[in-house]
Amino acid sequence: MRTHYEKRATKRKLKAFQEYKLSNFAASASIVLAILFGLSGYDLFERTVSIPFLVLAGIYLLFGMLQLLVSAKIRSDIIQRNTIQATTRIFGFSLIIALLTGNIFVAIAALDIIKKEKSIEYMLSIYMALTNICIILISALNLFKPYVADLFLLGMGILLAVSVLHIAAMILIGLFVKNGDVSRHLLPLAYLLILTAVTGNVFSLLLGLTLLHKIRHGNKEVLVTWVDIVRRLFRNAMAALGLLFITVLLSLSICSYFTFEYSLAVENNYSTLLLSPSLEYPFGTDDFGRCVFSRIIFGGRISLLVGILTTLIPVIIGGLLGTVSGFYGKYVDNFIMRALDILYAVPGMLLAIAIVAAFGANTTNLIIALSIGYIPTYARTMRATVLSVSNFEFIEAARACGAKDHAIIFKHIIPNSLAPIIVKATLTIGIAVISTSSLSYLGLGVEPHIPEWGNILKIGSAYLESKSYLAVYPGIAIIVMVLSFNFFGDGLRDALDPKLK
Amino acid sequence: MAYINTGRIVQEKLKTTDAMGVRYRIGRTYEKMLKNQLYKILLFISGLPINLVVAAVFFIQKRSDPFLKWREETKFRLRKEGVENQLTADIRYELTTKYIFFNKEVNESKLHAETKKLAARVFQEEVTKKVDDAMRAAGISKVTYGSTFSKLINHPLFFAVSMIPGALMYLFIYIYSKPYLKYVFDRLVMMVFVIFGVTFLVFTILYLSPLDPAANILGQTATVEQLRHFNQVYGLDQPYLVQLWNSFKGLVTFDLGKSFAGNEMVSTEIIRKLPITLQLTVISLIIAILMAIPSGLISATRQYSFFDYGFMVLVLLGLSIPDFWQGLVAILYFSIKVQWLPATFNPDNWLSVINPAIVLGTGLAASVARMTRSSTLEVIHQDYIVTAKAKGLSERKVILKHALGNALIPIVTVIGLQFGGMLGGAAVTEKVFNINGIGSYIVDKQFIPDIPGILAGVIYVAVTISIVNLIVDLLYAFLDPRIRSKISDY
């Protein structure tokens, strides 16, 4: 009985330290990745060995083991002294090198352990700097190519400068943000960070806005919902990682205008047909000699755009229909919901196929086709929320004050019923991405010459037997993107509604 | 002796009241149904001859309605007592204070008009209330259409005569009086409405298509004469409403014409292909449920354990994998590298169904497992589970006997909802594994576009989904006592 009690007490103690959780997570993630790399390096069925993968597996395993050691050290520190010792924290500095091998899990855990007092600003700055470094590392792979984009040097120069700024910001924030108080001197930095958000870096935008907000309000304890939500979101490592992947993808689709050569992804090159992966062509080349890696990078742009648009359009239309239906009730409600029931009875995929069949396969039609299918779901979600919100006293009060219907709807009801639909939308972007690539795979989506993940996979599937990597890598890209949206959506749901957890 | 006597009397009385009771109940139900606009129309049309008689009687009786006389009397009396003037003054005062509160200037003529309108309405309400009270006290009921019917139906003769022309109407009344039947009937009506709605929707989309199937099938070299002939044969030259009507007719008679390419009967194609898809979906549904529910339960009972975390990551992975990629990887590993399972589907080889079924079921398994975990977690923290545990029941018994039943309700809903998505997603899986089902049929037909083929394919998939949803709805209406009691209340 006593041992059971002690076990639980230790568990509770350990749970209070985010560093321990994160460190464990990083260790297991690196080891799992090491195993995956090892499996790709040594083919069980054909008994072939691929050296680069085995080396990668070895490096990941090494860092995983080191991280495991750090975990053990943190554990003993916590159990004996109830704090993490400074000597343990110094370990963090040596583990930052893991970033160079692309192991962001260990890097995040390392940056997390370095600092004792972690403000939300510090966390944001870590992710901000990481995003930019990832972009630079991915873009740097272009150096092995026969030729680079015209704007490559300019793009890389800007990225490096931004990166220096981000790291400086990280150090400055580490020094000047104490107990959540932001020094007034950081005002120019905040503006600069917001400016760097043009590279698609969501974290720098969030960080800049948070700093600005705190300085404006003189660090007073003002109840700011969104800063609070961001803080809760970053407590969940998986959600933060999901957002990191999404941001990297977003940033990459913007930066690739400068750093990636579009002709390598679309123009036929008969001297490089179906090459195996190498440093020059990291994911090999396809049957027209196009670089699959560049195609995946450019494809992310389309997938992200289509995914976000096919979520945004039905959210707006369905949300408005649901609001009207829930607010007015009776005949309006009956009419709208019955009409949407019809739409709901046809599976989204089949409806999209029918619409594309009628109007032809291209990107615009694809977006419209997918959007229509999602309208009923959002309308139902919104209607349910609006029904419950309309019964609150503040709506009655607004009406008693003589507010017009449209004012009540747009000022009071919609802002108060947005949370569920936002969460739903985040979780559905992933499904929209899958649907887009599925339709492209069937030849019903994006035009075949445009590099889109479904299109790349379609070509890869023809060479499944001999060049399976042509189909495997674009698939992994889709999975990682969808998984990131799912993790982020889950985290957002927990952050928006703590009661749900 | 006396006991037996009274018993017989009671029995006889019951017999007579039984026949009267039926008529009384019919009258009551009829009046209740009139309150719903939709049922009103339904009743009126289904029992038209009877309703005409009732309407005639109603208009004759209405003239001598005591209500009208009473109302005039009450109005006169209240006016004489000065109630109306008092009301007007009150309302005028209220409106003035309201305008002052909102800092609006008081416009005399506007205020006057508004006061008059409001006062008239309030006075009317007051009068009606007074009259209603007085009439209820006197035991006289107002003549309404419903009460006229009730009175008429209480005549045994009228009831007997109306039996034949009003059979359909009485059937509706009977259905309405039984809550379960009404629920089933409502759902059936809704289903028929949805099916026709889907036909209308898909047909309209295909009708609006700018693509020309005739030109696609006959090729660039076709003459104008040939194109016209093609359009005439398939009825494409007819106006929109005629074509829509033909589609509706085809839906009911299960004859949706011939496909443009190959000139095959669409219905026979559907009959051949729908079962293949259904078989695949049902097999993958069973596999998914068998995997998902136990693992969801274990995960919920060991919350925050290593198994739980690993399981949650696995579930999210399952939700994130595109079907076609999973299919390709499965073919790559199980068919090309180790050659355990065949790469393409073959109805005679049961091994070939395993791969597609697992691929198709992954998404469903993930969402069902997730739902199982969260609904079980919700249930096992409720008081009655704590009580069961406190009474010393074993963990196993608590979960399987007390928690699972209640946790299953949302799971059944999710399965019902996901089934539709599965039938839609089957198109992709069928294409990957080269299965000759309805999904790949629709995809093959869309390039022309072959309107009858696509229309029929989408409609019958929607019909299947509607039927499954109906079954799910009925199933848990009968399984869940809470829903049952809600049904009998409404």
Side-chain angles (χ1 to χ4, degrees):
Chain A
M1 211 56 209
R2 193 175 160 73
T3 52
H4 180 68
Y5 168 75
E6 274 173 359
K7 231 185 194 169
R8 278 181 63 176
T10 321
K11 233 183 194 172
R12 195 164 300 151
K13 236 189 214 171
L14 289 172
K15 227 178 167 181
F17 286 85
Q18 206 199 345
E19 289 92 339
Y20 181 65
K21 263 198 308 198
L22 210 55
S23 171
N24 266 341
F25 169 70
S28 40
S30 325
I31 291 170
V32 167
L33 277 177
I35 293 169
L36 279 180
F37 284 135
L39 284 179
S40 331
Y42 178 68
D43 198 314
L44 280 174
F45 307 113
E46 282 153 23
R47 313 208 178 272
T48 49
V49 174
S50 131
I51 299 295
F53 272 118
L54 285 186
V55 172
L56 213 56
I59 295 171
Y60 270 67
L61 197 65
L62 178 74
F63 277 109
M65 290 300 162
L66 282 176
Q67 191 66 50
L68 220 53
L69 274 180
V70 174
S71 266
K73 185 89 171 57
I74 296 174
R75 191 187 156 91
S76 70
D77 273 5
I78 292 172
I79 291 173
Q80 281 164 17
R81 302 196 174 75
N82 220 357
T83 60
I84 298 174
Q85 278 184 300
T87 48
T88 316
R89 290 191 185 279
I90 288 170
F91 266 113
F93 286 105
S94 57
L95 281 177
I96 297 181
I97 328 161
L99 191 59
L100 292 176
T101 64
N103 192 339
I104 37 177
F105 306 102
V106 171
I108 287 174
L111 286 165
D112 187 67
I113 197 176
I114 288 172
K115 207 163 166 340
K116 198 176 171 200
E117 289 273 324
K118 277 176 295 287
S119 55
I120 177 65
E121 289 83 1
Y122 181 68
M123 294 295 286
L124 274 171
S125 67
I126 292 178
Y127 284 97
M128 170 183 77
L130 270 180
T131 307
N132 215 18
I133 290 169
C134 286
I135 303 289
I136 292 176
L137 285 178
I138 293 170
S139 300
L141 281 172
N142 274 327
L143 288 173
F144 299 106
K145 289 245 158 39
Y147 57 95
V148 290
D150 297 339
L151 296 169
F152 182 76
L153 280 180
L154 175 73
M156 283 303 260
I158 293 173
L159 280 177
L160 281 173
V162 169
S163 210
V164 170
L165 176 75
H166 282 175
I167 291 169
M170 200 166 98
I171 296 165
L172 280 175
I173 284 167
L175 292 174
F176 289 108
V177 179
K178 295 254 158 61
N179 302 326
D181 283 356
V182 179
S183 158
R184 279 204 78 82
H185 306 297
L186 291 181
L187 194 63
L189 183 71
Y191 284 116
L192 267 179
L193 289 178
I194 292 176
L195 198 68
T196 62
V198 258
T199 59
N201 198 328
V202 178
F203 295 108
S204 73
L205 184 70
L206 278 177
L207 178 57
L209 289 177
T210 315
L211 289 178
L212 213 62
H213 198 90
K214 283 204 171 165
I215 294 168
R216 283 261 168 80
H217 288 273
N219 289 317
K220 267 177 245 136
E221 279 292 320
V222 194
L223 190 73
V224 191
T225 4
W226 67 267
V227 175
D228 214 42
I229 290 169
V230 172
R231 188 176 297 134
R232 261 181 277 160
L233 185 69
F234 274 82
R235 241 179 253 161
N236 182 343
M238 294 307 277
L241 262 179
L243 188 57
L244 179 70
F245 273 117
I246 297 166
T247 313
V248 167
L249 215 61
L250 179 70
S251 196
L252 209 54
S253 34
I254 292 171
C255 295
S256 56
Y257 278 108
F258 296 96
T259 55
F260 276 80
E261 177 61 41
Y262 195 61
S263 65
L264 280 174
V266 288
E267 271 168 27
N268 303 349
N269 182 353
Y270 295 105
S271 59
T272 56
L273 294 185
L274 293 167
L275 292 179
S276 298
S278 61
L279 274 178
E280 197 179 347
Y281 301 108
F283 294 164
T285 55
D286 65 7
D287 55 344
F288 288 107
R290 299 171 292 197
C291 169
V292 175
F293 182 68
S294 307
R295 279 175 76 76
I296 288 179
I297 298 287
F298 287 112
R301 201 186 282 170
I302 308 261
S303 291
L304 204 60
L305 185 76
V306 175
I308 288 173
L309 276 182
T310 48
T311 308
L312 208 63
I313 296 170
V315 161
I316 293 170
I317 298 176
L320 280 179
L321 283 176
T323 312
V324 169
S325 168
F327 185 75
Y328 289 105
K330 286 185 185 168
Y331 294 112
V332 181
D333 179 30
N334 237 328
F335 180 74
I336 293 178
M337 292 325 281
R338 291 300 82 78
L340 290 179
D341 274 348
I342 294 173
L343 215 51
Y344 197 70
V346 190
M349 203 70 180
L350 287 187
L351 188 70
I353 291 176
I355 293 176
V356 169
F359 298 100
N362 60 50
T363 316
T364 325
N365 285 348
L366 175 77
I367 293 174
I368 295 171
L370 283 175
S371 302
I372 290 176
Y374 288 126
I375 291 176
T377 335
Y378 292 116
R380 284 183 176 194
T381 314
M382 196 63 179
R383 177 174 169 271
T385 331
V386 169
L387 274 181
S388 70
V389 169
S390 324
N391 285 330
F392 282 132
E393 274 99 350
F394 65 89
I395 302 294
E396 218 172 297
R399 206 169 277 150
C401 286
K404 293 270 186 331
D405 276 357
H406 63 87
I408 297 179
I409 289 178
F410 285 104
K411 264 193 179 160
H412 303 289
I413 289 190
I414 290 186
N416 281 299
S417 22
L418 272 182
I421 207 169
I422 287 177
V423 171
K424 183 141 200 137
T426 329
L427 289 171
T428 332
I429 291 180
I431 299 174
V433 170
I434 291 184
S435 306
T436 311
S437 49
S438 303
L439 283 173
S440 298
Y441 175 78
L442 292 178
L444 301 173
V446 182
E447 297 89 326
H449 64 272
I450 296 178
E452 194 269 347
W453 289 349
N455 284 337
I456 304 170
L457 245 165
K458 189 182 164 84
I459 293 174
S461 68
Y463 298 92
L464 200 59
E465 224 159 320
S466 50
K467 315 258 176 209
S468 52
Y469 51 84
L470 285 179
V472 172
Y473 290 124
I476 290 175
I478 297 174
I479 293 178
V480 169
M481 181 165 171
V482 177
L483 206 56
S484 308
F485 273 113
N486 279 340
F487 276 126
F488 175 59
D490 275 359
L492 198 63
R493 183 188 53 207
D494 296 342
L496 282 174
D497 190 358
K499 272 177 295 179
L500 274 175
K501 199 151 186 189
Chain B
M1 206 53 189
Y3 173 74
I4 295 169
N5 244 340
T6 46
R8 215 173 58 202
I9 289 166
V10 167
Q11 232 172 25
E12 256 167 27
K13 221 176 188 174
L14 266 178
K15 233 181 217 164
T16 48
T17 48
D18 221 33
M20 262 174 69
V22 169
R23 294 200 296 269
Y24 176 70
R25 272 211 299 276
I26 291 178
R28 280 282 302 279
T29 319
Y30 187 89
E31 280 178 59
K32 232 201 270 171
M33 283 173 87
L34 282 183
K35 281 176 193 148
N36 186 321
Q37 211 66 33
L38 206 73
Y39 287 121
K40 207 187 209 168
I41 298 166
L42 194 70
L43 278 182
F44 191 76
I45 293 170
S46 61
L48 194 64
I50 300 168
N51 279 309
L52 288 179
V53 176
V54 175
V57 175
F58 168 62
F59 283 117
I60 294 165
Q61 283 196 350
K62 205 184 169 187
R63 277 192 218 136
S64 55
D65 190 356
F67 175 76
L68 295 173
K69 208 178 80 197
W70 285 49
R71 195 171 64 186
E72 282 312 308
E73 275 172 17
T74 318
K75 228 185 224 171
F76 182 70
R77 188 161 51 84
L78 286 181
R79 278 220 178 98
K80 219 166 82 184
E81 283 167 12
V83 173
E84 195 180 22
N85 291 338
Q86 181 63 37
L87 261 177
T88 315
D90 282 353
I91 285 170
R92 195 187 160 84
Y93 174 73
E94 275 169 22
L95 280 177
T96 324
T97 31
K98 182 179 139 192
Y99 279 130
I100 289 166
F101 180 80
F102 283 119
N103 285 331
K104 278 185 194 159
E105 59 178 289
V106 186
N107 184 338
E108 193 52 49
S109 63
K110 204 177 140 199
L111 181 73
H112 187 72
E114 217 169 312
T115 312
K116 213 170 159 187
K117 221 168 91 187
L118 257 177
R121 207 177 70 203
V122 175
F123 183 67
Q124 195 67 36
E125 276 168 19
E126 192 85 346
V127 169
T128 317
K129 212 177 113 204
K130 281 260 161 65
V131 175
D132 278 350
D133 285 347
M135 282 178 77
R136 199 172 303 129
I140 307 166
S141 63
K142 195 172 144 186
V143 176
T144 60
Y145 188 76
S147 70
T148 319
F149 178 83
S150 295
K151 234 183 260 163
L152 278 175
I153 200 93
N154 269 328
H155 284 293
L157 190 68
F158 180 83
F159 182 59
V161 170
S162 70
M163 251 341 229
I164 296 158
L168 197 60
M169 186 181 78
Y170 287 130
L171 184 71
F172 284 134
I173 293 177
Y174 177 73
I175 289 171
Y176 188 89
S177 65
K178 301 276 179 217
Y180 293 114
L181 261 181
K182 177 173 179 279
Y183 179 74
V184 175
F185 182 71
D186 277 358
R187 291 287 291 109
L188 272 173
V189 169
M190 196 58 223
M191 194 181 98
V192 172
F193 167 75
V194 164
I195 290 170
F196 276 98
V198 168
T199 313
F200 164 72
L201 176 77
V202 179
F203 176 77
T204 310
I205 289 172
L206 291 171
Y207 182 83
L208 291 175
S209 162
L211 304 176
D212 187 4
N216 280 340
I217 286 188
L218 300 174
Q220 292 292 321
T221 53
T223 59
V224 179
E225 193 55 41
Q226 277 175 312
L227 291 178
R228 212 172 51 219
H229 179 70
F230 182 91
N231 284 342
Q232 202 185 350
V233 167
Y234 290 101
L236 292 176
D237 51 351
Q238 283 166 329
Y240 171 73
L241 284 177
V242 175
Q243 287 191 45
L244 182 65
W245 173 247
N246 286 339
S247 301
F248 281 155
K249 226 163 55 188
L251 172 71
V252 177
T253 56
F254 202 71
D255 172 25
L256 281 157
K258 289 177 174 174
S259 62
F260 296 165
N263 210 21
E264 302 145 322
M265 285 299 289
V266 172
S267 349
T268 49
E269 291 283 299
I270 301 279
I271 291 176
R272 219 179 52 226
K273 290 183 170 169
L274 196 58
I276 299 177
T277 305
L278 278 180
Q279 188 194 353
L280 175 69
T281 340
V282 169
I283 292 173
S284 67
L285 191 73
I286 293 169
I287 296 178
I289 291 173
L290 285 183
M291 288 196 306
I293 291 184
S295 34
L297 274 179
I298 296 171
S299 187
T301 47
R302 291 171 179 55
Q303 200 189 2
Y304 301 132
S305 67
F306 183 73
F307 178 85
D308 186 29
Y309 278 121
F311 174 76
M312 279 201 290
V313 170
L314 211 66
V315 160
L316 273 178
L317 204 63
L319 284 175
S320 312
I321 292 185
D323 278 357
F324 61 103
W325 187 78
Q326 199 192 352
L328 288 176
V329 172
I331 290 176
L332 175 64
Y333 278 94
F334 297 114
S335 309
I336 296 176
K337 288 205 173 161
V338 289
Q339 301 189 339
W340 287 342
L341 302 168
T344 51
F345 177 75
N346 175 4
D348 302 325
N349 185 357
W350 65 269
L351 273 175
S352 67
V353 86
I354 295 178
N355 241 343
I358 289 177
V359 168
L360 188 59
T362 308
L364 179 92
S367 31
V368 170
R370 211 176 189 198
M371 197 69 218
T372 310
R373 180 180 177 269
S374 64
S375 74
T376 312
L377 274 178
E378 199 176 301
V379 168
I380 57 175
H381 287 129
Q382 276 175 8
D383 290 346
Y384 79 99
I385 295 290
V386 178
T387 315
K389 272 186 193 162
K391 281 167 89 178
L393 282 182
S394 67
E395 175 90 20
R396 195 193 172 79
K397 216 167 186 181
V398 170
I399 295 291
L400 290 182
K401 216 171 165 196
H402 295 271
L404 187 61
N406 275 338
L408 266 180
I409 294 158
I411 299 171
V412 172
T413 320
V414 165
I415 294 174
L417 285 177
Q418 288 280 323
F419 188 78
M422 246 166 110
L423 273 180
V428 182
T429 315
E430 283 172 9
K431 271 279 155 201
V432 173
F433 289 98
N434 206 6
I435 301 172
N436 235 337
I438 190 117
S440 57
Y441 176 73
I442 296 173
V443 174
D444 289 339
K445 289 289 175 199
Q446 67 81 31
F447 291 101
I448 299 172
D450 199 333
I451 294 174
I454 301 172
L455 190 66
V458 176
I459 289 172
Y460 285 106
V461 169
V463 169
T464 317
I465 292 171
S466 299
I467 292 172
V468 170
N469 281 341
L470 178 74
I471 293 171
V472 167
D473 269 12
L474 296 184
L475 206 83
Y476 72 35
F478 290 108
L479 284 182
D480 186 358
R482 283 171 295 187
I483 296 174
R484 229 171 20 226
S485 72
K486 215 187 267 169
I487 288 174
S488 31
D489 279 349
Y490 96 149

